[in-house]
Amino acid sequence: MIIISKRFDILYKRGVILGITIKDIAKLAGVSTSTVSLVLSKKGYVSETTQTKVQKVIDEYNYRPLRAARQLASHLTGYIGFIISHVHLSRSEAFYTRILLGSELEARNYDASIILSTVGLDFSIPNEVPRFLKEKAVDGIIIAGSVREDLIQYIYQEGIPVVLIDFRINDLHLDNVFIDNRSGVRQAVEHLIQKNVERIGFVGGSFYHPSIQERFEGYQLAMEKGGLGDIARDKAFHFLENSETTAEIGEKGMAQVLTNVPDLEAVICVNDTTAMGCLQHLRKKKLHVPSDLAVIGFDDVNIAAVAHPPLTTIHVPKIEMGVTAIRLLIDRIAHPSQVHQTRLVPVELVIRESSLKNQNGQ
Amino acid sequence: MIIISKRFDILYKRGVILGITIKDIAKLAGVSTSTVSLVLSKKGYVSETTQTKVQKVIDEYNYRPLRAARQLASHLTGYIGFIISHVHLSRSEAFYTRILLGSELEARNYDASIILSTVGLDFSIPNEVPRFLKEKAVDGIIIAGSVREDLIQYIYQEGIPVVLIDFRINDLHLDNVFIDNRSGVRQAVEHLIQKNVERIGFVGGSFYHPSIQERFEGYQLAMEKGGLGDIARDKAFHFLENSETTAEIGEKGMAQVLTNVPDLEAVICVNDTTAMGCLQHLRKKKLHVPSDLAVIGFDDVNIAAVAHPPLTTIHVPKIEMGVTAIRLLIDRIAHPSQVHQTRLVPVELVIRESSLKNQNGQ
DNA sequence: CTGAAAGCGCTTACAG
DNA sequence: CTGAAAGCGCTTACAG
């Protein structure tokens, strides 16, 4: 609790802030508090006339039940914990941030609020897990992106309803919201093949994150399917460094693949950020995109559309992912023991200039 | 409240989730609940021996008081509402996001949690204000960046403790955390003048946001002080469009000022995002930065350091702003009627390549 | 320094 | 359909 002065405390108690209660409403409407409560929760069992009579008083006094009291009596908090790593929250692509936005918006539709908790890598379990976990202050939890596995293990063992977004840990069956990474990359590969572009490389990053891994696998699968299995299996065409996917990794990767394969025609990047690095490297090398080389990203974050040239990429519906996670979580809270569910959010190729090879790509 | 099935409800009540209470601890330690509560709140008045005895049981059972019960009894929630516009949360510069991160981290030091609420422009007051405002679910509120003025008016009238970050509304005396914009721009101007750069332009944006306005004023003041008043007052050197500060605005602004003043030597941008637009335009025009023209941004967001060339800018300590806001708010909650306070966070010029004119700038 | 007891503002069986 | 009453799990004067 916040440490407050005695003085404030007294003010508080004197009613400076304490407001109208359910008792007041009951008295004013000439009914019992139970009835008011029933009207409030819209659980039915109240006659039309009583209902309107009570509602009128509620509206008149703009009454809203005190959440804390409601929580205590009902054993439900109306709060959803949203856990995200410092790294993800701070990243500049507004990827996870938009997922958070989606969750926040959708939570309201269930009369719930989001309690945010960021986590780093350096906390101890169970002593320093997010506070709400130990105070039963949330009904369920959403985890966006990668966090330490033992945190998820802890939550799992505590039996708190949880949904993971764009992350998984093996052997643990939890509700998940995934990106359809394989489909996304397949669309990209097919788009290129259709233009008779075949010498297609891949620049990627950390395999710690499942999405990253799936994107590379998707590339290999789609290439194989398109009759380009040799390239799909030729390491000269691939750059995979097990680290955060930054623009620097993109630059480095582009440089390396280009050295290996001077007549490379296109590169698919694990995400838009690395694609920006590729563009950067190509600019330095005075190579023109897309006429010399096509570049395709993944995610469709803000920078993609304003890059030079505008980046062809796979659009990931970030807000919808946040929305979906809330719905899954609500469902899980209502049915704690049902079998775990997975939602695969669809993605779509957005064709901009960076891939318009052999087409006088504007 | 979240709508849940009867079945879940029953599980809940059966103790699947209900845990150990203060009563249990009291019994186990052989003291009264009051004593346990006193130990928990560390309010003193408990003998050393009782304290350790009780603490031992608390630790052994890993007991944590239920927040809702505590809230109801103490009239304090331990929650802080954080209000931010959809636009700010979604922006790609991780500016407000880092402020949020700072607040989240600092809140923990006061045993408080952050409840997030995003707002758009299209809500009605008082019916659609953030839920926590009407349910007395927070002890105080932080507003980061610009939001609708009538929302702030509403909060003010409700008497809820509030701190504004990087925003103000005239005539309303609230606690504020401001960026020292004038000092920042002054440092930039002095840096340029010191290199004998004098024909310095300014590219800016929306005057709706006070920081934006202050940065232009700071430019004029510093120019005046440096003996360049003529330029400070010459509209040909300035581009000020009343819209969101995007990279596009930067491109457009750079183009216009350069048309007006072909022998321009430097441009100071209202923020890094517009500076990126300027760089973009100069690249298109085949002008070299910094040898042809120096460019300086403001904010020091992620992209600044990795821009080409790396951008000289004013570093704004974003995390600290979030931290400061929490401290101000805690203080305000403790002393509701004290005179309002303003914290000016210091900023610092970070010299990178984009301003190293006349120096063989790498 | 410690305990018994009231009370915070709701919800929810239960009885009618 | 409606009301009286118990109870949720804490905190906090108050008395000793």
Side-chain angles (χ1 to χ4, degrees):
Chain A
M1 291 290 119
I2 291 173
I3 293 124
I4 52 147
S5 73
K6 213 71 191 173
R7 175 159 142 272
F8 173 53
D9 220 26
I10 290 158
L11 275 173
Y12 227 78
K13 288 290 172 57
R14 290 243 176 92
V16 171
I17 291 175
L18 295 184
I20 195 167
T21 73
I22 197 172
K23 244 176 164 169
D24 302 320
I25 301 294
K27 197 174 293 174
L28 288 161
V31 298
S32 72
T33 60
S34 331
T35 304
V36 178
S37 180
L38 255 20
V39 171
L40 245 17
S41 63
K42 299 195 177 67
K43 288 212 177 137
Y45 317 124
V46 183
S47 73
E48 195 83 19
T49 51
T50 324
Q51 190 142 346
T52 51
K53 184 175 63 177
V54 173
Q55 192 61 53
K56 214 183 119 202
V57 181
I58 290 174
D59 291 343
E60 186 181 346
Y61 287 84
N62 194 19
Y63 166 76
R64 290 283 274 161
L66 186 73
R67 189 167 278 252
R70 193 171 230 189
Q71 288 172 212
L72 187 56
S74 71
H75 293 280
L76 244 24
T77 68
Y79 288 125
I80 290 169
F82 194 100
I83 298 181
I84 183 168
S85 74
H86 296 156
V87 180
H88 283 154
L89 188 63
S90 292
R91 286 197 76 149
S92 53
E93 306 101 26
F95 183 86
Y96 288 106
T97 320
R98 288 187 74 79
I99 292 176
L100 171 58
L101 180 59
S103 289
E104 206 273 319
L105 259 23
E106 181 67 3
R108 299 183 193 193
N109 293 336
Y110 295 90
D111 210 358
S113 296
I114 296 283
I115 297 185
L116 181 70
S117 184
T118 61
V119 293
L121 297 170
D122 57 343
F123 53 92
S124 74
I125 289 177
N127 286 324
E128 292 170 38
V129 299
R131 199 173 306 282
F132 51 63
L133 291 178
K134 308 188 68 176
E135 293 175 335
K136 305 172 197 71
V138 298
D139 296 332
I141 289 172
I142 289 176
I143 297 180
S146 56
V147 300
R148 270 175 47 182
E149 291 204 2
D150 52 355
L151 176 60
I152 300 181
Q153 291 279 6
Y154 173 84
I155 292 169
Y156 179 73
Q157 275 152 26
E158 293 281 304
I160 305 167
V162 61
V163 172
L164 304 186
I165 301 181
D166 192 30
F167 194 58
R168 86 180 84 208
I169 81 175
N170 299 326
D171 317 321
L172 221 53
H173 297 305
L174 296 169
D175 293 335
N176 282 297
V177 178
F178 288 131
I179 299 165
D180 195 347
N181 291 301
R182 291 197 181 80
S183 156
V185 179
R186 189 186 340 111
Q187 291 176 51
V189 169
E190 286 170 358
H191 164 64
L192 290 171
I193 290 179
Q194 196 195 317
K195 295 186 175 308
N196 295 317
V197 174
E198 301 194 336
R199 300 182 68 73
I200 305 169
F202 188 91
V203 169
S206 163
F207 273 17
Y208 175 61
H209 200 113
S211 269
I212 305 296
Q213 184 161 10
E214 282 177 17
R215 289 173 192 184
F216 179 62
E217 288 167 11
Y219 157 81
Q220 290 194 300
L221 250 50
M223 291 289 282
E224 201 82 51
K225 197 176 153 229
L228 303 173
D230 289 348
I231 292 176
R233 279 173 260 113
D234 184 346
K235 287 196 177 140
F237 281 83
H238 314 146
F239 176 86
L240 300 168
E241 181 158 308
N242 199 19
S243 71
E244 273 293 302
T245 52
T246 59
E248 286 72 42
I249 290 294
E251 283 205 55
K252 192 174 154 189
M254 190 73 258
Q256 183 179 307
V257 176
L258 218 43
T259 306
N260 295 342
V261 189
D263 59 346
L264 190 74
E265 293 179 283
V267 63
I268 293 178
C269 299
V270 74
N271 61 21
D272 293 345
T273 307
T274 46
M276 295 303 284
C278 289
L279 291 181
Q280 192 59 47
H281 177 76
L282 295 169
R283 191 148 47 220
K284 281 185 184 167
K285 289 285 170 194
K286 311 275 187 219
L287 288 171
H288 185 259
V289 175
S291 57
D292 292 324
L293 198 81
V295 175
I296 299 186
F298 204 116
D299 283 349
D300 196 20
V301 297
N302 314 27
I303 43 169
V306 297
H308 292 268
L311 192 66
T312 292
T313 187
I314 317 296
H315 178 74
V316 175
K318 302 152 208 85
I319 294 205
E320 279 173 42
M321 289 175 72
V323 169
T324 304
I326 291 286
R327 293 189 186 151
L328 266 185
L329 184 60
I330 297 295
D331 201 41
R332 166 66 47 193
I333 291 169
H335 311 287
S337 50
Q338 77 184 358
V339 68
H340 73 103
Q341 298 187 57
T342 291
R343 292 267 190 287
L344 207 59
V345 305
V347 298
E348 201 179 353
L349 182 71
V350 181
I351 298 172
R352 299 203 182 93
E353 286 178 34
S354 73
S355 69
L356 294 182
K357 206 163 150 59
N358 310 334
Q359 231 179 44
N360 267 337
Q362 279 292 329
Chain B
M1 291 291 117
I2 292 171
I3 292 126
I4 53 150
S5 73
K6 211 73 190 170
R7 175 158 142 272
F8 173 53
D9 220 25
I10 290 158
L11 275 173
Y12 226 79
K13 287 291 172 56
R14 290 244 176 92
V16 171
I17 290 175
L18 295 183
I20 194 167
T21 73
I22 198 172
K23 243 176 166 170
D24 303 319
I25 300 294
K27 199 174 290 173
L28 287 161
V31 297
S32 72
T33 59
S34 330
T35 304
V36 177
S37 180
L38 255 20
V39 170
L40 245 18
S41 62
K42 300 196 177 66
K43 288 213 176 139
Y45 317 125
V46 184
S47 73
E48 195 83 18
T49 51
T50 324
Q51 190 143 344
T52 51
K53 185 173 65 181
V54 174
Q55 190 62 51
K56 215 183 119 201
V57 181
I58 290 173
D59 292 343
E60 185 181 347
Y61 288 83
N62 194 17
Y63 166 76
R64 290 282 273 160
L66 185 75
R67 189 167 278 252
R70 194 172 229 189
Q71 289 172 211
L72 186 56
S74 72
H75 293 281
L76 243 25
T77 67
Y79 289 125
I80 290 169
F82 193 100
I83 298 180
I84 183 168
S85 73
H86 297 156
V87 180
H88 283 156
L89 189 63
S90 292
R91 287 198 75 147
S92 55
E93 307 103 27
F95 183 87
Y96 287 106
T97 320
R98 289 189 73 78
I99 291 176
L100 171 57
L101 180 58
S103 287
E104 207 273 317
L105 260 20
E106 181 66 4
R108 299 184 192 192
N109 294 335
Y110 295 90
D111 211 358
S113 296
I114 297 283
I115 298 183
L116 182 71
S117 184
T118 61
V119 293
L121 295 170
D122 55 344
F123 53 93
S124 75
I125 290 178
N127 285 326
E128 293 170 39
V129 298
R131 199 173 306 281
F132 53 62
L133 291 179
K134 306 187 69 175
E135 293 174 334
K136 306 173 198 71
V138 297
D139 297 331
I141 289 171
I142 289 176
I143 297 179
S146 56
V147 300
R148 268 175 48 182
E149 290 204 3
D150 51 355
L151 175 60
I152 300 181
Q153 291 278 7
Y154 174 84
I155 291 169
Y156 179 74
Q157 274 153 27
E158 292 282 303
I160 304 168
V162 61
V163 172
L164 305 186
I165 301 180
D166 193 29
F167 194 58
R168 87 182 81 208
I169 80 173
N170 299 327
D171 316 322
L172 221 53
H173 297 305
L174 296 169
D175 292 334
N176 281 297
V177 177
F178 289 130
I179 299 166
D180 194 347
N181 291 301
R182 290 197 180 81
S183 156
V185 179
R186 191 188 335 114
Q187 291 175 51
V189 169
E190 285 170 0
H191 164 65
L192 290 170
I193 290 180
Q194 196 194 318
K195 295 188 177 308
N196 295 317
V197 174
E198 300 195 335
R199 300 181 69 73
I200 306 168
F202 188 92
V203 169
S206 161
F207 273 17
Y208 175 60
H209 200 112
S211 269
I212 304 298
Q213 183 161 11
E214 282 178 17
R215 290 174 192 183
F216 180 62
E217 288 168 9
Y219 156 81
Q220 289 194 300
L221 249 48
M223 291 290 281
E224 200 80 52
K225 196 175 152 228
L228 304 172
D230 288 349
I231 293 175
R233 277 172 262 112
D234 185 347
K235 287 195 178 140
F237 281 84
H238 315 146
F239 176 85
L240 301 168
E241 181 157 309
N242 200 20
S243 70
E244 273 293 301
T245 52
T246 59
E248 288 71 45
I249 289 294
E251 284 203 56
K252 190 172 157 192
M254 188 74 257
Q256 183 178 309
V257 176
L258 218 44
T259 307
N260 294 343
V261 188
D263 59 346
L264 191 73
E265 292 178 282
V267 63
I268 293 177
C269 299
V270 74
N271 62 19
D272 292 345
T273 308
T274 46
M276 294 303 285
C278 289
L279 290 181
Q280 192 60 47
H281 176 76
L282 295 170
R283 193 151 44 223
K284 282 184 185 167
K285 288 286 170 193
K286 312 276 187 215
L287 288 172
H288 185 259
V289 176
S291 58
D292 292 326
L293 198 80
V295 175
I296 299 185
F298 205 115
D299 284 349
D300 196 20
V301 297
N302 313 25
I303 42 168
V306 298
H308 291 268
L311 192 65
T312 293
T313 186
I314 316 296
H315 178 74
V316 176
K318 301 150 208 85
I319 295 207
E320 279 173 43
M321 288 175 73
V323 169
T324 303
I326 291 286
R327 293 190 186 152
L328 265 185
L329 184 60
I330 297 294
D331 201 42
R332 167 65 48 195
I333 292 169
H335 310 288
S337 49
Q338 77 184 357
V339 67
H340 74 103
Q341 297 187 57
T342 291
R343 293 266 189 285
L344 207 59
V345 305
V347 298
E348 200 177 353
L349 182 71
V350 181
I351 299 172
R352 299 202 183 93
E353 287 177 35
S354 74
S355 69
L356 294 183
K357 204 161 149 61
N358 310 335
Q359 235 181 39
N360 267 336
Q362 285 284 338

